[in-house]
Amino acid sequence: MVRVSIDQQSILAQFEKLENELSDLMICDEWRLLPFYEREKRSTVVSAILERVHKEGFPQPENDPMRPSLFMPFAALKGYDHMIEQITNNEGA
């Protein structure tokens, strides 16, 4: 797994952008038309996102060795193996 190092200034800029976008979302005019409980729910979700990013930073994509197993049910489809083989051969060409 290769991790890309991002400088601190870039992370802060990303975080400020996210915080501004989420703040704008929280005061969105369309929210006025929603029932109170829905506004509260959305507000809670947006706050949780901000809190998580504050604590853990931005999520980084990782290679999951188990990901291919998600697609095993498709192996029962007629021609699936042949299609995968063609795609693999085309990428290698």
Side-chain angles (χ1 to χ4, degrees), residues 48-90:
I49 291 170
L50 281 173
E51 185 178 329
R52 183 172 179 185
V53 171
H54 268 293
K55 287 181 181 177
E56 300 173 16
F58 289 96
Q60 299 296 316
E62 293 184 21
N63 230 354
D64 182 1
M66 297 304 293
R67 182 165 168 71
S69 66
L70 295 172
F71 300 96
M72 287 303 294
F74 294 104
L77 298 174
K78 184 177 180 183
Y80 181 76
D81 291 332
H82 180 67
M83 182 186 71
I84 296 296
E85 186 177 321
Q86 282 183 327
I87 292 171
T88 304
N89 290 339
N90 287 341

Short mmCIF file of all heavy atoms in Angstrom, two decimals, residues 48-90:
data_model
loop_
_atom_site.label_atom_id
_atom_site.label_comp_id
_atom_site.label_asym_id
_atom_site.label_seq_id
_atom_site.Cartn_x
_atom_site.Cartn_y
_atom_site.Cartn_z
N ALA A 48 -21.58 15.67 12.64
CA ALA A 48 -20.79 14.45 12.85
C ALA A 48 -19.68 14.33 11.81
O ALA A 48 -18.56 13.89 12.13
CB ALA A 48 -21.70 13.23 12.81
N ILE A 49 -19.97 14.71 10.57
CA ILE A 49 -18.95 14.67 9.52
C ILE A 49 -17.80 15.61 9.88
O ILE A 49 -16.62 15.25 9.82
CB ILE A 49 -19.55 15.05 8.15
CG1 ILE A 49 -20.50 13.96 7.67
CG2 ILE A 49 -18.43 15.29 7.12
CD1 ILE A 49 -21.32 14.34 6.45
N LEU A 50 -18.14 16.84 10.28
CA LEU A 50 -17.10 17.80 10.66
C LEU A 50 -16.28 17.31 11.84
O LEU A 50 -15.05 17.42 11.85
CB LEU A 50 -17.73 19.15 11.00
CG LEU A 50 -18.12 20.02 9.82
CD1 LEU A 50 -18.89 21.24 10.29
CD2 LEU A 50 -16.89 20.43 9.03
N GLU A 51 -16.94 16.76 12.84
CA GLU A 51 -16.24 16.26 14.02
C GLU A 51 -15.29 15.12 13.65
O GLU A 51 -14.15 15.07 14.12
CB GLU A 51 -17.25 15.78 15.06
CG GLU A 51 -16.61 15.37 16.36
CD GLU A 51 -17.66 14.95 17.38
OE1 GLU A 51 -18.78 15.49 17.35
OE2 GLU A 51 -17.32 14.08 18.20
N ARG A 52 -15.76 14.23 12.79
CA ARG A 52 -14.92 13.09 12.40
C ARG A 52 -13.69 13.56 11.63
O ARG A 52 -12.58 13.06 11.84
CB ARG A 52 -15.72 12.11 11.56
CG ARG A 52 -14.94 10.88 11.20
CD ARG A 52 -15.80 9.86 10.54
NE ARG A 52 -15.00 8.70 10.20
CZ ARG A 52 -15.45 7.68 9.53
NH1 ARG A 52 -16.71 7.65 9.15
NH2 ARG A 52 -14.67 6.68 9.24
N VAL A 53 -13.87 14.52 10.72
CA VAL A 53 -12.73 15.03 9.96
C VAL A 53 -11.76 15.75 10.88
O VAL A 53 -10.55 15.63 10.73
CB VAL A 53 -13.21 15.94 8.81
CG1 VAL A 53 -12.05 16.65 8.15
CG2 VAL A 53 -13.99 15.13 7.77
N HIS A 54 -12.28 16.47 11.89
CA HIS A 54 -11.41 17.12 12.87
C HIS A 54 -10.55 16.09 13.59
O HIS A 54 -9.35 16.29 13.77
CB HIS A 54 -12.24 17.87 13.92
CG HIS A 54 -12.50 19.29 13.59
ND1 HIS A 54 -11.52 20.25 13.54
CD2 HIS A 54 -13.66 19.94 13.31
CE1 HIS A 54 -12.05 21.42 13.24
NE2 HIS A 54 -13.35 21.25 13.09
N LYS A 55 -11.16 14.99 14.02
CA LYS A 55 -10.45 13.98 14.81
C LYS A 55 -9.54 13.11 13.98
O LYS A 55 -8.41 12.83 14.35
CB LYS A 55 -11.45 13.08 15.54
CG LYS A 55 -12.14 13.73 16.70
CD LYS A 55 -13.10 12.76 17.36
CE LYS A 55 -13.84 13.40 18.51
NZ LYS A 55 -14.81 12.49 19.10
N GLU A 56 -10.04 12.63 12.82
CA GLU A 56 -9.33 11.59 12.07
C GLU A 56 -8.70 12.09 10.77
O GLU A 56 -7.95 11.36 10.13
CB GLU A 56 -10.30 10.45 11.73
CG GLU A 56 -10.90 9.81 12.97
CD GLU A 56 -11.98 8.80 12.63
OE1 GLU A 56 -12.07 8.38 11.45
OE2 GLU A 56 -12.75 8.45 13.53
N GLY A 57 -9.01 13.31 10.36
CA GLY A 57 -8.51 13.80 9.09
C GLY A 57 -9.36 13.29 7.95
O GLY A 57 -10.38 12.63 8.15
N PHE A 58 -8.93 13.58 6.74
CA PHE A 58 -9.67 13.15 5.57
C PHE A 58 -9.41 11.67 5.32
O PHE A 58 -8.28 11.20 5.46
CB PHE A 58 -9.25 13.96 4.34
CG PHE A 58 -9.73 15.38 4.38
CD1 PHE A 58 -8.91 16.39 4.85
CD2 PHE A 58 -11.01 15.69 3.98
CE1 PHE A 58 -9.36 17.70 4.90
CE2 PHE A 58 -11.47 16.99 4.03
CZ PHE A 58 -10.64 17.99 4.49
N PRO A 59 -10.43 10.93 4.94
CA PRO A 59 -10.22 9.51 4.66
C PRO A 59 -9.32 9.33 3.43
O PRO A 59 -9.44 10.07 2.46
CB PRO A 59 -11.63 8.97 4.39
CG PRO A 59 -12.47 10.15 4.10
CD PRO A 59 -11.81 11.34 4.74
N GLN A 60 -8.42 8.37 3.53
CA GLN A 60 -7.52 8.06 2.43
C GLN A 60 -7.93 6.74 1.81
O GLN A 60 -8.21 5.78 2.53
CB GLN A 60 -6.08 7.99 2.93
CG GLN A 60 -5.56 9.28 3.53
CD GLN A 60 -5.50 10.39 2.52
OE1 GLN A 60 -5.06 10.20 1.40
NE2 GLN A 60 -5.97 11.57 2.92
N PRO A 61 -7.96 6.64 0.48
CA PRO A 61 -8.31 5.37 -0.14
C PRO A 61 -7.24 4.33 0.16
O PRO A 61 -6.05 4.64 0.19
CB PRO A 61 -8.35 5.71 -1.63
CG PRO A 61 -7.57 6.95 -1.78
CD PRO A 61 -7.66 7.68 -0.48
N GLU A 62 -7.67 3.13 0.41
CA GLU A 62 -6.74 2.04 0.68
C GLU A 62 -7.09 0.86 -0.20
O GLU A 62 -8.24 0.66 -0.57
CB GLU A 62 -6.83 1.62 2.14
CG GLU A 62 -6.34 2.69 3.10
CD GLU A 62 -6.35 2.22 4.53
OE1 GLU A 62 -6.34 1.01 4.76
OE2 GLU A 62 -6.39 3.08 5.41
N ASN A 63 -6.08 0.08 -0.52
CA ASN A 63 -6.29 -1.12 -1.29
C ASN A 63 -6.79 -2.21 -0.35
O ASN A 63 -6.13 -2.54 0.62
CB ASN A 63 -4.96 -1.55 -1.91
CG ASN A 63 -5.08 -1.84 -3.38
OD1 ASN A 63 -6.19 -1.81 -3.91
ND2 ASN A 63 -3.97 -2.10 -4.02
N ASP A 64 -7.95 -2.76 -0.65
CA ASP A 64 -8.52 -3.82 0.18
C ASP A 64 -8.38 -5.15 -0.56
O ASP A 64 -9.01 -5.35 -1.59
CB ASP A 64 -9.99 -3.53 0.47
CG ASP A 64 -10.64 -4.56 1.37
OD1 ASP A 64 -9.95 -5.50 1.80
OD2 ASP A 64 -11.85 -4.42 1.64
N PRO A 65 -7.56 -6.07 -0.03
CA PRO A 65 -7.36 -7.35 -0.72
C PRO A 65 -8.63 -8.19 -0.80
O PRO A 65 -8.73 -9.09 -1.62
CB PRO A 65 -6.28 -8.05 0.10
CG PRO A 65 -6.21 -7.34 1.39
CD PRO A 65 -6.77 -5.97 1.19
N MET A 66 -9.65 -7.89 0.00
CA MET A 66 -10.89 -8.65 -0.02
C MET A 66 -11.90 -8.09 -1.02
O MET A 66 -12.93 -8.70 -1.27
CB MET A 66 -11.52 -8.69 1.38
CG MET A 66 -10.67 -9.40 2.42
SD MET A 66 -10.26 -11.08 1.93
CE MET A 66 -11.87 -11.84 1.99
N ARG A 67 -11.62 -6.95 -1.61
CA ARG A 67 -12.57 -6.32 -2.53
C ARG A 67 -13.00 -7.24 -3.68
O ARG A 67 -14.18 -7.28 -4.00
CB ARG A 67 -12.00 -5.01 -3.08
CG ARG A 67 -12.96 -4.29 -3.99
CD ARG A 67 -12.53 -2.85 -4.20
NE ARG A 67 -13.25 -2.20 -5.27
CZ ARG A 67 -14.51 -1.82 -5.24
NH1 ARG A 67 -15.22 -2.04 -4.16
NH2 ARG A 67 -15.08 -1.24 -6.26
N PRO A 68 -12.10 -7.98 -4.32
CA PRO A 68 -12.56 -8.85 -5.41
C PRO A 68 -13.61 -9.87 -4.99
O PRO A 68 -14.45 -10.26 -5.79
CB PRO A 68 -11.28 -9.56 -5.87
CG PRO A 68 -10.18 -8.64 -5.46
CD PRO A 68 -10.66 -8.00 -4.19
N SER A 69 -13.60 -10.27 -3.73
CA SER A 69 -14.58 -11.26 -3.28
C SER A 69 -16.01 -10.72 -3.33
O SER A 69 -16.96 -11.49 -3.37
CB SER A 69 -14.25 -11.75 -1.87
OG SER A 69 -14.40 -10.69 -0.94
N LEU A 70 -16.16 -9.39 -3.35
CA LEU A 70 -17.50 -8.79 -3.46
C LEU A 70 -18.16 -9.14 -4.79
O LEU A 70 -19.37 -9.16 -4.91
CB LEU A 70 -17.42 -7.27 -3.34
CG LEU A 70 -16.97 -6.70 -2.01
CD1 LEU A 70 -16.77 -5.20 -2.14
CD2 LEU A 70 -18.00 -7.00 -0.94
N PHE A 71 -17.34 -9.43 -5.79
CA PHE A 71 -17.85 -9.65 -7.13
C PHE A 71 -18.01 -11.13 -7.47
O PHE A 71 -18.44 -11.47 -8.57
CB PHE A 71 -16.95 -8.96 -8.16
CG PHE A 71 -16.87 -7.48 -7.93
CD1 PHE A 71 -15.81 -6.93 -7.22
CD2 PHE A 71 -17.86 -6.65 -8.38
CE1 PHE A 71 -15.75 -5.56 -6.98
CE2 PHE A 71 -17.82 -5.28 -8.16
CZ PHE A 71 -16.75 -4.73 -7.45
N MET A 72 -17.70 -12.00 -6.54
CA MET A 72 -17.81 -13.44 -6.79
C MET A 72 -19.22 -13.88 -7.21
O MET A 72 -19.35 -14.76 -8.06
CB MET A 72 -17.35 -14.24 -5.57
CG MET A 72 -15.84 -14.21 -5.38
SD MET A 72 -14.93 -14.80 -6.81
CE MET A 72 -15.42 -16.52 -6.80
N PRO A 73 -20.30 -13.32 -6.68
CA PRO A 73 -21.63 -13.76 -7.12
C PRO A 73 -21.85 -13.59 -8.62
O PRO A 73 -22.62 -14.31 -9.21
CB PRO A 73 -22.59 -12.87 -6.33
CG PRO A 73 -21.83 -12.46 -5.13
CD PRO A 73 -20.39 -12.36 -5.57
N PHE A 74 -21.13 -12.65 -9.24
CA PHE A 74 -21.30 -12.44 -10.67
C PHE A 74 -20.67 -13.56 -11.50
O PHE A 74 -20.94 -13.68 -12.69
CB PHE A 74 -20.71 -11.09 -11.09
CG PHE A 74 -21.44 -9.93 -10.50
CD1 PHE A 74 -20.92 -9.22 -9.43
CD2 PHE A 74 -22.68 -9.56 -11.01
CE1 PHE A 74 -21.60 -8.15 -8.90
CE2 PHE A 74 -23.37 -8.48 -10.47
CZ PHE A 74 -22.84 -7.79 -9.42
N ALA A 75 -19.82 -14.38 -10.87
CA ALA A 75 -19.17 -15.47 -11.59
C ALA A 75 -20.20 -16.47 -12.14
O ALA A 75 -19.92 -17.18 -13.09
CB ALA A 75 -18.16 -16.17 -10.69
N ALA A 76 -21.38 -16.50 -11.56
CA ALA A 76 -22.42 -17.42 -12.03
C ALA A 76 -23.06 -16.93 -13.33
O ALA A 76 -23.76 -17.69 -14.00
CB ALA A 76 -23.48 -17.59 -10.95
N LEU A 77 -22.82 -15.70 -13.69
CA LEU A 77 -23.41 -15.16 -14.91
C LEU A 77 -22.72 -15.76 -16.14
O LEU A 77 -21.49 -15.89 -16.18
CB LEU A 77 -23.27 -13.63 -14.95
CG LEU A 77 -23.98 -12.88 -13.83
CD1 LEU A 77 -23.63 -11.40 -13.91
CD2 LEU A 77 -25.48 -13.07 -13.93
N LYS A 78 -23.49 -16.11 -17.13
CA LYS A 78 -22.96 -16.70 -18.35
C LYS A 78 -22.06 -15.69 -19.06
O LYS A 78 -22.46 -14.56 -19.31
CB LYS A 78 -24.11 -17.12 -19.25
CG LYS A 78 -23.68 -17.84 -20.50
CD LYS A 78 -24.88 -18.29 -21.30
CE LYS A 78 -24.41 -19.00 -22.55
NZ LYS A 78 -25.53 -19.39 -23.39
N GLY A 79 -20.85 -16.09 -19.37
CA GLY A 79 -19.91 -15.24 -20.10
C GLY A 79 -19.12 -14.28 -19.24
O GLY A 79 -18.29 -13.52 -19.75
N TYR A 80 -19.32 -14.29 -17.92
CA TYR A 80 -18.63 -13.34 -17.04
C TYR A 80 -17.12 -13.54 -17.10
O TYR A 80 -16.36 -12.59 -17.24
CB TYR A 80 -19.15 -13.49 -15.61
CG TYR A 80 -18.51 -12.54 -14.62
CD1 TYR A 80 -18.88 -11.21 -14.59
CD2 TYR A 80 -17.54 -12.99 -13.74
CE1 TYR A 80 -18.30 -10.33 -13.69
CE2 TYR A 80 -16.95 -12.12 -12.83
CZ TYR A 80 -17.33 -10.80 -12.82
OH TYR A 80 -16.75 -9.94 -11.93
N ASP A 81 -16.68 -14.80 -16.98
CA ASP A 81 -15.23 -15.09 -17.00
C ASP A 81 -14.60 -14.64 -18.32
O ASP A 81 -13.51 -14.08 -18.34
CB ASP A 81 -14.98 -16.58 -16.77
CG ASP A 81 -15.32 -17.01 -15.35
OD1 ASP A 81 -15.23 -16.15 -14.44
OD2 ASP A 81 -15.67 -18.19 -15.15
N HIS A 82 -15.31 -14.87 -19.42
CA HIS A 82 -14.82 -14.47 -20.73
C HIS A 82 -14.70 -12.94 -20.80
O HIS A 82 -13.72 -12.42 -21.34
CB HIS A 82 -15.75 -15.00 -21.82
CG HIS A 82 -15.31 -14.63 -23.20
ND1 HIS A 82 -14.15 -15.12 -23.77
CD2 HIS A 82 -15.87 -13.81 -24.12
CE1 HIS A 82 -14.02 -14.62 -24.98
NE2 HIS A 82 -15.06 -13.81 -25.22
N MET A 83 -15.68 -12.24 -20.28
CA MET A 83 -15.66 -10.78 -20.29
C MET A 83 -14.46 -10.25 -19.48
O MET A 83 -13.75 -9.35 -19.92
CB MET A 83 -16.96 -10.22 -19.71
CG MET A 83 -17.03 -8.70 -19.73
SD MET A 83 -18.48 -8.05 -18.88
CE MET A 83 -18.07 -8.41 -17.19
N ILE A 84 -14.24 -10.82 -18.31
CA ILE A 84 -13.11 -10.41 -17.47
C ILE A 84 -11.80 -10.65 -18.19
O ILE A 84 -10.89 -9.82 -18.17
CB ILE A 84 -13.14 -11.15 -16.10
CG1 ILE A 84 -14.38 -10.76 -15.32
CG2 ILE A 84 -11.87 -10.88 -15.31
CD1 ILE A 84 -14.45 -9.30 -14.93
N GLU A 85 -11.70 -11.79 -18.84
CA GLU A 85 -10.49 -12.13 -19.59
C GLU A 85 -10.25 -11.12 -20.70
O GLU A 85 -9.12 -10.66 -20.91
CB GLU A 85 -10.62 -13.54 -20.16
CG GLU A 85 -9.37 -14.05 -20.84
CD GLU A 85 -9.56 -15.48 -21.33
OE1 GLU A 85 -10.19 -16.28 -20.62
OE2 GLU A 85 -9.07 -15.75 -22.44
N GLN A 86 -11.30 -10.74 -21.44
CA GLN A 86 -11.16 -9.76 -22.51
C GLN A 86 -10.70 -8.40 -21.97
O GLN A 86 -9.82 -7.77 -22.55
CB GLN A 86 -12.50 -9.57 -23.24
CG GLN A 86 -12.83 -10.67 -24.20
CD GLN A 86 -14.13 -10.39 -24.93
OE1 GLN A 86 -15.05 -9.78 -24.35
NE2 GLN A 86 -14.22 -10.82 -26.17
N ILE A 87 -11.29 -7.99 -20.87
CA ILE A 87 -10.91 -6.69 -20.28
C ILE A 87 -9.46 -6.73 -19.83
O ILE A 87 -8.69 -5.80 -20.08
CB ILE A 87 -11.84 -6.34 -19.10
CG1 ILE A 87 -13.25 -6.05 -19.62
CG2 ILE A 87 -11.30 -5.17 -18.31
CD1 ILE A 87 -14.29 -5.91 -18.55
N THR A 88 -9.06 -7.83 -19.21
CA THR A 88 -7.68 -7.98 -18.73
C THR A 88 -6.71 -7.95 -19.92
O THR A 88 -5.67 -7.30 -19.86
CB THR A 88 -7.52 -9.28 -17.94
OG1 THR A 88 -8.48 -9.29 -16.89
CG2 THR A 88 -6.12 -9.40 -17.36
N ASN A 89 -7.05 -8.65 -21.00
CA ASN A 89 -6.18 -8.68 -22.19
C ASN A 89 -6.09 -7.32 -22.84
O ASN A 89 -5.04 -6.92 -23.30
CB ASN A 89 -6.69 -9.72 -23.20
CG ASN A 89 -6.48 -11.14 -22.69
OD1 ASN A 89 -5.65 -11.38 -21.83
ND2 ASN A 89 -7.24 -12.07 -23.24
N ASN A 90 -7.19 -6.57 -22.89
CA ASN A 90 -7.19 -5.24 -23.49
C ASN A 90 -6.35 -4.26 -22.69
O ASN A 90 -5.70 -3.39 -23.24
CB ASN A 90 -8.61 -4.70 -23.65
CG ASN A 90 -9.37 -5.39 -24.75
OD1 ASN A 90 -8.79 -6.01 -25.62
ND2 ASN A 90 -10.70 -5.31 -24.69
#
